[in-house]
mmCIF file of all heavy atoms in Angstrom:
data_model
loop_
_atom_site.group_PDB
_atom_site.id
_atom_site.type_symbol
_atom_site.label_atom_id
_atom_site.label_comp_id
_atom_site.label_asym_id
_atom_site.label_seq_id
_atom_site.Cartn_x
_atom_site.Cartn_y
_atom_site.Cartn_z
ATOM 1 N N SER A 85 26.824 5.936 36.087
ATOM 2 C CA SER A 85 28.230 6.327 36.190
ATOM 3 C C SER A 85 29.018 5.234 36.895
ATOM 4 O O SER A 85 28.447 4.364 37.566
ATOM 5 C CB SER A 85 28.369 7.650 36.956
ATOM 6 O OG SER A 85 27.817 7.535 38.246
ATOM 7 N N THR A 86 30.337 5.284 36.720
ATOM 8 C CA THR A 86 31.223 4.264 37.283
ATOM 9 C C THR A 86 31.605 4.640 38.718
ATOM 10 O O THR A 86 31.834 5.807 39.027
ATOM 11 C CB THR A 86 32.495 4.141 36.430
ATOM 12 O OG1 THR A 86 32.115 3.845 35.086
ATOM 13 C CG2 THR A 86 33.397 3.030 36.943
ATOM 14 N N LEU A 87 31.663 3.626 39.584
ATOM 15 C CA LEU A 87 32.081 3.821 40.974
ATOM 16 C C LEU A 87 33.532 3.360 41.148
ATOM 17 O O LEU A 87 33.944 2.354 40.574
ATOM 18 C CB LEU A 87 31.176 3.016 41.905
ATOM 19 C CG LEU A 87 29.673 3.336 41.837
ATOM 20 C CD1 LEU A 87 28.901 2.376 42.750
ATOM 21 C CD2 LEU A 87 29.400 4.773 42.220
ATOM 22 N N TYR A 88 34.285 4.121 41.946
ATOM 23 C CA TYR A 88 35.699 3.814 42.184
ATOM 24 C C TYR A 88 35.960 3.758 43.682
ATOM 25 O O TYR A 88 35.261 4.392 44.482
ATOM 26 C CB TYR A 88 36.602 4.898 41.584
ATOM 27 C CG TYR A 88 36.400 5.144 40.108
ATOM 28 C CD1 TYR A 88 35.456 6.075 39.660
ATOM 29 C CD2 TYR A 88 37.154 4.464 39.156
ATOM 30 C CE1 TYR A 88 35.268 6.304 38.305
ATOM 31 C CE2 TYR A 88 36.984 4.692 37.804
ATOM 32 C CZ TYR A 88 36.031 5.618 37.387
ATOM 33 O OH TYR A 88 35.856 5.854 36.051
ATOM 34 N N ASN A 89 37.008 3.014 44.065
ATOM 35 C CA ASN A 89 37.446 3.052 45.461
ATOM 36 C C ASN A 89 38.523 4.113 45.633
ATOM 37 O O ASN A 89 38.863 4.836 44.681
ATOM 38 C CB ASN A 89 37.929 1.667 45.929
ATOM 39 C CG ASN A 89 39.145 1.190 45.131
ATOM 40 O OD1 ASN A 89 39.820 1.971 44.456
ATOM 41 N ND2 ASN A 89 39.430 -0.112 45.222
ATOM 42 N N SER A 90 39.062 4.211 46.823
ATOM 43 C CA SER A 90 40.041 5.271 47.110
ATOM 44 C C SER A 90 41.325 5.118 46.301
ATOM 45 O O SER A 90 42.072 6.074 46.126
ATOM 46 C CB SER A 90 40.372 5.278 48.603
ATOM 47 O OG SER A 90 40.881 4.008 48.995
ATOM 48 N N LYS A 91 41.579 3.914 45.771
ATOM 49 C CA LYS A 91 42.779 3.692 44.956
ATOM 50 C C LYS A 91 42.538 3.972 43.473
ATOM 51 O O LYS A 91 43.467 3.862 42.667
ATOM 52 C CB LYS A 91 43.262 2.247 45.131
ATOM 53 C CG LYS A 91 43.657 1.889 46.553
ATOM 54 C CD LYS A 91 44.092 0.435 46.639
ATOM 55 C CE LYS A 91 44.484 0.048 48.060
ATOM 56 N NZ LYS A 91 44.886 -1.377 48.145
ATOM 57 N N GLY A 92 41.288 4.286 43.138
ATOM 58 C CA GLY A 92 40.975 4.555 41.739
ATOM 59 C C GLY A 92 40.566 3.325 40.956
ATOM 60 O O GLY A 92 40.411 3.377 39.739
ATOM 61 N N ASP A 93 40.396 2.197 41.658
ATOM 62 C CA ASP A 93 39.964 0.982 40.981
ATOM 63 C C ASP A 93 38.450 0.989 40.794
ATOM 64 O O ASP A 93 37.702 1.460 41.659
ATOM 65 C CB ASP A 93 40.347 -0.256 41.807
ATOM 66 C CG ASP A 93 41.844 -0.350 42.042
ATOM 67 O OD1 ASP A 93 42.598 -0.020 41.103
ATOM 68 O OD2 ASP A 93 42.246 -0.749 43.160
ATOM 69 N N VAL A 94 37.992 0.437 39.678
ATOM 70 C CA VAL A 94 36.555 0.344 39.426
ATOM 71 C C VAL A 94 35.946 -0.700 40.350
ATOM 72 O O VAL A 94 36.402 -1.844 40.418
ATOM 73 C CB VAL A 94 36.274 -0.039 37.951
ATOM 74 C CG1 VAL A 94 34.780 -0.277 37.730
ATOM 75 C CG2 VAL A 94 36.778 1.045 37.016
ATOM 76 N N THR A 95 34.908 -0.294 41.085
ATOM 77 C CA THR A 95 34.234 -1.223 41.995
ATOM 78 C C THR A 95 32.813 -1.565 41.535
ATOM 79 O O THR A 95 32.215 -2.508 42.037
ATOM 80 C CB THR A 95 34.151 -0.620 43.407
ATOM 81 O OG1 THR A 95 33.416 0.604 43.350
ATOM 82 C CG2 THR A 95 35.551 -0.357 43.958
ATOM 83 N N GLY A 96 32.304 -0.793 40.596
ATOM 84 C CA GLY A 96 30.946 -1.075 40.127
ATOM 85 C C GLY A 96 30.365 0.106 39.383
ATOM 86 O O GLY A 96 31.089 1.007 38.933
ATOM 87 N N HIS A 97 29.052 0.098 39.294
ATOM 88 C CA HIS A 97 28.351 1.144 38.550
ATOM 89 C C HIS A 97 27.051 1.485 39.262
ATOM 90 O O HIS A 97 26.414 0.621 39.868
ATOM 91 C CB HIS A 97 28.056 0.690 37.119
ATOM 92 C CG HIS A 97 29.271 0.230 36.389
ATOM 93 N ND1 HIS A 97 30.075 1.068 35.665
ATOM 94 C CD2 HIS A 97 29.846 -1.003 36.306
ATOM 95 C CE1 HIS A 97 31.083 0.382 35.152
ATOM 96 N NE2 HIS A 97 30.975 -0.876 35.533
#
Side-chain angles (χ1 to χ4, degrees):
S85 58
T86 303
L87 302 176
Y88 304 89
N89 62 17
S90 58
K91 298 179 180 179
D93 301 321
V94 174
T95 60
H97 306 271

